[in-house]
Each structure stands twice: as C-alpha cells, then as structure tokens.
Amino acid sequence: MNGCKPISITILGATGSIGLNTLDVIGRHPERFVVFALTAHQQIDRLAELCFRFQPMYAVVATAQQACVLQAQLQTAALKTEVLYGEQALCEVAQASETDAVMAAIVGAAGLKPTLAAAKAGKIIYLANKETLVVAGALFMQTVQQYGARLLPVDSEHNAIFQSLPADYQGNPQMAGVESLILTASGGPFLHTPLDEFATITPEAAINHPNWKMGRKISVDSASMMNKGLELIEARWLFNVTAKQLEVVIHPQSVIHSMVRYIDGSVLAQMGKPDMRIPIAHCLGLPDRIVSGVKQLDFTRLSGLNFFAPDFVRFPCLKLAYDVLNSSNDASSCVLNAANEIAVAAFLDKQIRFTELAQVVESCLQQFSGSTAASIEEFLFLDEQVRSAAKTWVAGRAAS
C-alpha cells in the first residue's frame, strides 16, 4: 500500500453492527481507507457522531425530516458533509465515481437496490446484506458479471468458505475438487431448550445470542436458524453449488466459522474468535492481511469443539430454506425472505409466538408457490405482495 491511493469506501448501513465494525477496522488504517459516504435508517445521532469522526463527503438518511435534523447537527460542528435522503440517494452514493468500494450492510430487502446499483457501477462490493442474493440471486450475480463488479463475502460463514477455497476458484466446484461446503451454526440461545417451552420464548430471550453481538432482527433469525437457511441460499449463488453440496452442522462454540470438504477426504476450515471484524478485515485488506483489532485465538483455553446435526423439528425454518433450495422456482426464496421479515417484526412486537415464525413463512410459501420474477421490479412487487399476505396472517392471529 505504500505510495498507493487510499481506497474510498461507501458504507450502506453504517450504524448497524456490521457498519460499526467496518468503521472500527477502517479507523485502524487511516493510510489505507477514506470514507466517501455513510448511510443510516433511524439512528441519526449515532450517524452524526460517525460523521464527526470520519468526515465523509455524503451522509444519507431515510427522510427529509431526518436530513434536516442531521444537517443542523453537522453545521454546528462546521462539517462539510452533505446530507441526502431517500432510496435514490442510497443508489447514488453506491454508484458514485468517487467511491471504489461499497460495504453493503443494510439489513433486509431494503439493501437490494443500492447494492445492485453498486454492481452496475462495477464497484468492489463487500457483501454483508444476504437478502440481496436471497431475494434476487440470479439477477444480482448476472449483474456482477456483466458489469465487472468484484463481490467479496463478509458474512462470517461465507467468508470462511471463501478463505478455504482455492484462491483461483471460479465457481466450478468439480474443477476445484470440492465435494461440499459446510456452514457452521451456533444453534443460538435455544439449542438445548425443551421443545415444550418454545411457545413461551420471549423476544428478549431470542435476541440474547450466546456468542455474537448482532442486531435484533438477525439475532431472532439466528435463534430460529432462519439465518442459516438464508445463508444456504446465499452460498448457492456465491459459490455456484447445488443444495446437495451444502451442509449445515451445529457448532456451539463458533470457533470454526465454516469448512470446505474436498473429494480427497480433506476438510479445510477457517477458525477464529466470533468477531465480525475478522471477515471484514480480510475483505478490506485483500490481497494483504491487515490488523482487525481482534485478539488471537488461544487454543489452550478452548474446552472443546462440538458438532451436531441440525434438528428440523427444533428448527423448522431451516427445513423451509432447504425446501426452497430444492425447488425449481428461484422466486420462492424471495417469498421466504419477505415473509420472514414480517414474521420477525411481528414476533419482536409480541404479536405472534416464536413457534409461529415458521408458520407465517410456510403459509406464504404455499400461497405464492407459483410466483415468478425476472426483473428487479418484479422481485420487489412480489416482495410487497408477500409482505401484505404475511401481515394479514399476523393480523388474523392477533384477532383469534
């Protein structure tokens, strides 16, 4: 990097856990990175603090009212950061000529359009928004290839697989001697909870992950293992593998983050502490290894590593994701994701029980089993229809 121009980065979802961890890594390497734009949905005060520290050229929020509030805060500090708002602004900063790379860390389907805009602009994309591939995997991967974008996986599991595959892997598992990809899962906070207690699980308990510090939505997904189901679909597109080449294994310690099984019997794994700064630093630093701020793993302090097969009775959401993977309809993963987002929001608002998360999703999968989509507009229209149906299911549950 000596004598090289710093990489200019736009962070979509700067106030979330991935965004904050990204900025932590960037802050350790001011000679390597500059921040072009930061975006946030609701946490305006936190976004202002980040702007004070990193002084981006642009900050993007959701509404005009939020933009006025943030602009006033920044003007008080005499910052030159320009404040924009709305979905179009997200797309503009993601595709701006001044930015080299985009950290796609907006949670949910809301991250689809700006991430697609970054792909069309041929950017380096650090992908933490799994819904981009879950909702419209074929379309997104085609766009990445068509416009010469570079896609680097930030999710700990996919980054672990990325690190364990050959450096020149080009999406052909047979040529690379790959038999299968093994995604590890912690099992979440309810791995050993008696099944007859699942109906009384509270949102507070569901977001209390034993290993990882994450946002509320992804924490609930981890507790239900829908998160692992979404990651299976994401891995299918990232690495061009089939459902039969994707395994899930419960690994409560979260030390091995995922593995690649080769045809000669070898299994390569990536290990480390459960800290998202490791995969983030790996992607940001390529082809170099850079300091992440994470302490080294001390093998002498490990009490043991355990592995279990996932239980579909305990985790029906994972079974639904496998069903989607095995179906011939790519649009079904869009249905899965949209229904799950509504179900999780309803659970967090205490409108439905934890055991009803899978019921909402399964109902929508059945209702929209024949749906198809090919363009971004069609995917977003289907997404909207599914959300409406899921809300109707939730409303019916509340009225009963």
Side-chain angles (χ1 to χ4, degrees):
M1 280 297 296
N2 291 338
C4 294
K5 179 183 176 183
I7 297 173
S8 176
I9 298 181
T10 287
I11 301 179
L12 303 174
T15 59
S17 60
I18 297 295
L20 293 174
N21 278 316
T22 300
L23 289 168
D24 182 89
V25 175
I26 286 175
R28 297 171 189 274
H29 304 276
E31 76 288 354
R32 298 184 69 113
F33 308 105
V34 294
V35 177
F36 173 72
L38 298 175
T39 85
H41 183 62
Q42 291 182 322
Q43 299 188 62
I44 306 305
D45 290 343
R46 175 167 282 187
L47 181 59
E49 294 172 3
L50 297 175
C51 289
F52 297 152
R53 180 180 177 190
F54 292 96
Q55 300 186 24
M57 188 174 296
Y58 294 99
V60 183
V61 293
T63 68
Q65 182 179 4
Q66 291 173 339
C68 290
V69 172
L70 180 60
Q71 191 73 71
Q73 290 178 286
L74 300 185
Q75 286 176 346
T76 301
L79 283 187
K80 296 181 180 180
T81 300
E82 183 178 346
V83 181
L84 308 174
Y85 68 91
E87 183 179 73
Q88 182 57 37
L90 289 174
C91 294
E92 288 173 358
V93 297
Q95 64 189 9
S97 60
E98 298 95 330
T99 191
D100 303 308
V102 174
M103 173 59 73
I106 295 176
V107 176
L112 178 56
K113 277 192 173 181
T115 307
L116 196 62
K120 288 183 177 179
K123 304 298 183 184
I124 300 171
I125 300 172
Y126 308 122
L127 189 66
N129 171 272
K130 61 177 58 65
E131 289 81 7
T132 295
L133 287 172
V134 172
V135 173
L139 175 65
F140 183 71
M141 293 304 294
Q142 180 183 354
T143 303
V144 167
Q145 295 167 8
Q146 180 180 350
Y147 292 94
R150 186 183 184 194
L151 191 60
L152 299 174
V154 171
D155 264 359
S156 61
E157 295 81 2
H158 303 98
N159 183 264
I161 291 169
F162 180 62
Q163 293 194 51
S164 301
L165 284 168
D168 60 351
Y169 182 75
Q170 297 293 321
N172 190 324
Q174 184 175 359
M175 285 188 62
V178 172
E179 180 168 307
S180 64
L181 310 181
I182 308 170
L183 280 74
T184 58
S186 69
F190 310 127
L191 180 59
H192 302 294
T193 301
L195 289 175
D196 59 7
E197 296 180 13
F198 268 43
T200 58
I201 286 173
T202 65
E204 292 75 19
I207 64 176
N208 187 25
H209 196 282
N211 299 337
W212 297 92
K213 293 181 180 179
M214 305 179 292
R216 285 161 59 84
K217 193 267 181 184
I218 193 173
S219 294
V220 174
D221 282 346
S222 180
S224 71
M225 280 195 70
M226 177 60 87
N227 193 49
K228 203 57 49 182
L230 299 177
E231 288 172 2
L232 285 170
I233 298 169
E234 187 181 7
R236 176 259 181 272
W237 294 111
L238 279 171
F239 306 113
N240 193 34
V241 292
T242 66
K244 291 182 179 180
Q245 293 171 304
L246 288 167
E247 304 177 49
V248 171
V249 62
I250 303 290
H251 170 49
Q253 292 82 16
S254 296
V255 171
I256 294 178
H257 299 302
S258 277
M259 299 170 270
V260 176
R261 190 190 299 277
Y262 288 90
I263 58 175
D264 63 359
S266 299
V267 178
L268 299 189
Q270 185 268 337
M271 305 174 71
K273 290 197 170 185
D275 191 313
M276 284 305 300
R277 289 177 295 175
I278 293 176
I280 289 169
H282 175 254
C283 289
L284 290 178
L286 282 173
D288 303 327
R289 294 277 180 172
I290 62 175
V291 171
S292 66
V294 181
K295 292 182 179 180
Q296 293 291 342
L297 183 65
D298 185 349
F299 287 92
T300 65
R301 297 178 67 87
L302 293 178
S303 60
L305 301 178
N306 304 110
F307 303 92
F308 311 98
D311 179 357
F312 288 154
V313 175
R314 179 174 294 272
F315 300 114
C317 285
L318 182 59
K319 173 63 164 57
L320 292 174
Y322 265 116
D323 290 343
V324 165
L325 268 175
N326 284 304
S327 74
S328 58
N329 185 2
D330 289 341
S332 60
S333 60
C334 175
V335 177
L336 178 89
N337 179 73
N340 180 65
E341 286 194 22
I342 296 302
V344 170
F347 169 68
L348 287 170
D349 287 340
K350 300 184 178 181
Q351 295 176 286
I352 63 172
R353 296 177 177 178
F354 185 79
T355 49
E356 292 173 319
L357 290 167
Q359 295 177 33
V360 176
V361 176
E362 185 172 19
S363 173
C364 288
L365 284 171
Q366 293 174 352
Q367 184 175 343
F368 294 91
S369 60
S371 298
T372 59
S375 67
I376 183 63
E377 292 78 17
E378 289 175 349
F379 276 112
L380 292 175
F381 179 68
L382 176 59
D383 178 90
E384 184 179 339
Q385 286 184 307
V386 175
R387 288 171 189 272
S388 178
K391 288 177 182 177
T392 298
W393 195 102
V394 170
R397 169 65 179 82
S400 61

PDB file of all heavy atoms in Angstrom, residues 289-303:
ATOM      1  N   ARG A 289      -3.132  -9.145   4.390  1.00  0.00           N
ATOM      2  CA  ARG A 289      -3.757  -9.366   5.694  1.00  0.00           C
ATOM      3  C   ARG A 289      -3.490  -8.122   6.535  1.00  0.00           C
ATOM      4  O   ARG A 289      -2.352  -7.658   6.608  1.00  0.00           O
ATOM      5  CB  ARG A 289      -3.171 -10.593   6.388  1.00  0.00           C
ATOM      6  CG  ARG A 289      -3.455 -11.918   5.699  1.00  0.00           C
ATOM      7  CD  ARG A 289      -4.816 -12.454   6.058  1.00  0.00           C
ATOM      8  NE  ARG A 289      -5.083 -13.728   5.379  1.00  0.00           N
ATOM      9  CZ  ARG A 289      -6.142 -14.492   5.623  1.00  0.00           C
ATOM     10  NH1 ARG A 289      -7.029 -14.108   6.546  1.00  0.00           N
ATOM     11  NH2 ARG A 289      -6.335 -15.605   4.973  1.00  0.00           N
ATOM     12  N   ILE A 290      -4.539  -7.570   7.148  1.00  0.00           N
ATOM     13  CA  ILE A 290      -4.370  -6.360   7.951  1.00  0.00           C
ATOM     14  C   ILE A 290      -4.898  -6.597   9.368  1.00  0.00           C
ATOM     15  O   ILE A 290      -5.713  -7.504   9.600  1.00  0.00           O
ATOM     16  CB  ILE A 290      -5.095  -5.149   7.315  1.00  0.00           C
ATOM     17  CG1 ILE A 290      -6.606  -5.384   7.241  1.00  0.00           C
ATOM     18  CG2 ILE A 290      -4.534  -4.853   5.934  1.00  0.00           C
ATOM     19  CD1 ILE A 290      -7.396  -4.174   6.741  1.00  0.00           C
ATOM     20  N   VAL A 291      -4.462  -5.779  10.284  1.00  0.00           N
ATOM     21  CA  VAL A 291      -4.884  -5.885  11.683  1.00  0.00           C
ATOM     22  C   VAL A 291      -6.385  -5.601  11.786  1.00  0.00           C
ATOM     23  O   VAL A 291      -6.890  -4.623  11.230  1.00  0.00           O
ATOM     24  CB  VAL A 291      -4.096  -4.905  12.558  1.00  0.00           C
ATOM     25  CG1 VAL A 291      -4.669  -4.849  13.964  1.00  0.00           C
ATOM     26  CG2 VAL A 291      -2.624  -5.303  12.599  1.00  0.00           C
ATOM     27  N   SER A 292      -7.090  -6.457  12.507  1.00  0.00           N
ATOM     28  CA  SER A 292      -8.538  -6.302  12.662  1.00  0.00           C
ATOM     29  C   SER A 292      -8.932  -5.734  14.020  1.00  0.00           C
ATOM     30  O   SER A 292     -10.050  -5.251  14.198  1.00  0.00           O
ATOM     31  CB  SER A 292      -9.234  -7.664  12.500  1.00  0.00           C
ATOM     32  OG  SER A 292      -8.870  -8.540  13.557  1.00  0.00           O
ATOM     33  N   GLY A 293      -8.019  -5.828  14.992  1.00  0.00           N
ATOM     34  CA  GLY A 293      -8.350  -5.434  16.357  1.00  0.00           C
ATOM     35  C   GLY A 293      -8.837  -6.585  17.205  1.00  0.00           C
ATOM     36  O   GLY A 293      -9.142  -6.411  18.389  1.00  0.00           O
ATOM     37  N   VAL A 294      -8.902  -7.783  16.625  1.00  0.00           N
ATOM     38  CA  VAL A 294      -9.377  -8.964  17.346  1.00  0.00           C
ATOM     39  C   VAL A 294      -8.188  -9.706  17.953  1.00  0.00           C
ATOM     40  O   VAL A 294      -7.164  -9.908  17.296  1.00  0.00           O
ATOM     41  CB  VAL A 294     -10.148  -9.916  16.405  1.00  0.00           C
ATOM     42  CG1 VAL A 294     -10.654 -11.140  17.178  1.00  0.00           C
ATOM     43  CG2 VAL A 294     -11.311  -9.184  15.749  1.00  0.00           C
ATOM     44  N   LYS A 295      -8.338 -10.128  19.210  1.00  0.00           N
ATOM     45  CA  LYS A 295      -7.284 -10.887  19.870  1.00  0.00           C
ATOM     46  C   LYS A 295      -7.150 -12.266  19.228  1.00  0.00           C
ATOM     47  O   LYS A 295      -8.118 -12.846  18.732  1.00  0.00           O
ATOM     48  CB  LYS A 295      -7.588 -11.034  21.366  1.00  0.00           C
ATOM     49  CG  LYS A 295      -7.514  -9.729  22.141  1.00  0.00           C
ATOM     50  CD  LYS A 295      -7.781  -9.971  23.620  1.00  0.00           C
ATOM     51  CE  LYS A 295      -7.681  -8.679  24.419  1.00  0.00           C
ATOM     52  NZ  LYS A 295      -7.937  -8.888  25.866  1.00  0.00           N
ATOM     53  N   GLN A 296      -5.939 -12.785  19.266  1.00  0.00           N
ATOM     54  CA  GLN A 296      -5.679 -14.090  18.678  1.00  0.00           C
ATOM     55  C   GLN A 296      -6.401 -15.198  19.443  1.00  0.00           C
ATOM     56  O   GLN A 296      -6.601 -15.113  20.658  1.00  0.00           O
ATOM     57  CB  GLN A 296      -4.175 -14.370  18.663  1.00  0.00           C
ATOM     58  CG  GLN A 296      -3.379 -13.459  17.741  1.00  0.00           C
ATOM     59  CD  GLN A 296      -3.654 -13.726  16.276  1.00  0.00           C
ATOM     60  OE1 GLN A 296      -4.170 -14.778  15.902  1.00  0.00           O
ATOM     61  NE2 GLN A 296      -3.321 -12.750  15.433  1.00  0.00           N
ATOM     62  N   LEU A 297      -6.791 -16.224  18.726  1.00  0.00           N
ATOM     63  CA  LEU A 297      -7.428 -17.387  19.331  1.00  0.00           C
ATOM     64  C   LEU A 297      -6.401 -18.183  20.127  1.00  0.00           C
ATOM     65  O   LEU A 297      -5.334 -18.539  19.616  1.00  0.00           O
ATOM     66  CB  LEU A 297      -8.028 -18.264  18.231  1.00  0.00           C
ATOM     67  CG  LEU A 297      -8.797 -19.510  18.655  1.00  0.00           C
ATOM     68  CD1 LEU A 297     -10.054 -19.130  19.423  1.00  0.00           C
ATOM     69  CD2 LEU A 297      -9.169 -20.343  17.423  1.00  0.00           C
ATOM     70  N   ASP A 298      -6.700 -18.452  21.397  1.00  0.00           N
ATOM     71  CA  ASP A 298      -5.806 -19.209  22.278  1.00  0.00           C
ATOM     72  C   ASP A 298      -6.327 -20.634  22.386  1.00  0.00           C
ATOM     73  O   ASP A 298      -7.315 -20.907  23.076  1.00  0.00           O
ATOM     74  CB  ASP A 298      -5.748 -18.545  23.651  1.00  0.00           C
ATOM     75  CG  ASP A 298      -4.742 -19.212  24.589  1.00  0.00           C
ATOM     76  OD1 ASP A 298      -4.247 -20.313  24.249  1.00  0.00           O
ATOM     77  OD2 ASP A 298      -4.462 -18.640  25.657  1.00  0.00           O
ATOM     78  N   PHE A 299      -5.681 -21.559  21.685  1.00  0.00           N
ATOM     79  CA  PHE A 299      -6.157 -22.943  21.658  1.00  0.00           C
ATOM     80  C   PHE A 299      -6.073 -23.606  23.023  1.00  0.00           C
ATOM     81  O   PHE A 299      -6.837 -24.537  23.315  1.00  0.00           O
ATOM     82  CB  PHE A 299      -5.361 -23.744  20.623  1.00  0.00           C
ATOM     83  CG  PHE A 299      -5.722 -23.411  19.206  1.00  0.00           C
ATOM     84  CD1 PHE A 299      -5.024 -22.432  18.521  1.00  0.00           C
ATOM     85  CD2 PHE A 299      -6.759 -24.059  18.557  1.00  0.00           C
ATOM     86  CE1 PHE A 299      -5.349 -22.107  17.215  1.00  0.00           C
ATOM     87  CE2 PHE A 299      -7.096 -23.745  17.255  1.00  0.00           C
ATOM     88  CZ  PHE A 299      -6.392 -22.762  16.581  1.00  0.00           C
ATOM     89  N   THR A 300      -5.163 -23.158  23.869  1.00  0.00           N
ATOM     90  CA  THR A 300      -5.009 -23.785  25.181  1.00  0.00           C
ATOM     91  C   THR A 300      -6.174 -23.460  26.111  1.00  0.00           C
ATOM     92  O   THR A 300      -6.344 -24.105  27.143  1.00  0.00           O
ATOM     93  CB  THR A 300      -3.698 -23.339  25.854  1.00  0.00           C
ATOM     94  OG1 THR A 300      -3.755 -21.933  26.139  1.00  0.00           O
ATOM     95  CG2 THR A 300      -2.499 -23.638  24.954  1.00  0.00           C
ATOM     96  N   ARG A 301      -6.970 -22.467  25.741  1.00  0.00           N
ATOM     97  CA  ARG A 301      -8.105 -22.077  26.573  1.00  0.00           C
ATOM     98  C   ARG A 301      -9.440 -22.625  26.064  1.00  0.00           C
ATOM     99  O   ARG A 301     -10.485 -22.369  26.650  1.00  0.00           O
ATOM    100  CB  ARG A 301      -8.179 -20.553  26.675  1.00  0.00           C
ATOM    101  CG  ARG A 301      -6.955 -19.941  27.361  1.00  0.00           C
ATOM    102  CD  ARG A 301      -7.041 -18.433  27.391  1.00  0.00           C
ATOM    103  NE  ARG A 301      -8.128 -17.986  28.258  1.00  0.00           N
ATOM    104  CZ  ARG A 301      -8.015 -17.786  29.571  1.00  0.00           C
ATOM    105  NH1 ARG A 301      -6.847 -18.001  30.170  1.00  0.00           N
ATOM    106  NH2 ARG A 301      -9.030 -17.366  30.290  1.00  0.00           N
ATOM    107  N   LEU A 302      -9.374 -23.400  24.965  1.00  0.00           N
ATOM    108  CA  LEU A 302     -10.600 -23.995  24.432  1.00  0.00           C
ATOM    109  C   LEU A 302     -10.925 -25.266  25.211  1.00  0.00           C
ATOM    110  O   LEU A 302     -10.073 -26.137  25.378  1.00  0.00           O
ATOM    111  CB  LEU A 302     -10.429 -24.342  22.949  1.00  0.00           C
ATOM    112  CG  LEU A 302     -10.270 -23.170  21.980  1.00  0.00           C
ATOM    113  CD1 LEU A 302     -10.058 -23.704  20.561  1.00  0.00           C
ATOM    114  CD2 LEU A 302     -11.477 -22.254  22.030  1.00  0.00           C
ATOM    115  N   SER A 303     -12.138 -25.365  25.686  1.00  0.00           N
ATOM    116  CA  SER A 303     -12.538 -26.554  26.441  1.00  0.00           C
ATOM    117  C   SER A 303     -12.896 -27.718  25.528  1.00  0.00           C
ATOM    118  O   SER A 303     -12.930 -28.875  25.945  1.00  0.00           O
ATOM    119  CB  SER A 303     -13.738 -26.226  27.339  1.00  0.00           C
ATOM    120  OG  SER A 303     -14.845 -25.780  26.566  1.00  0.00           O
TER     121      SER A 303
END
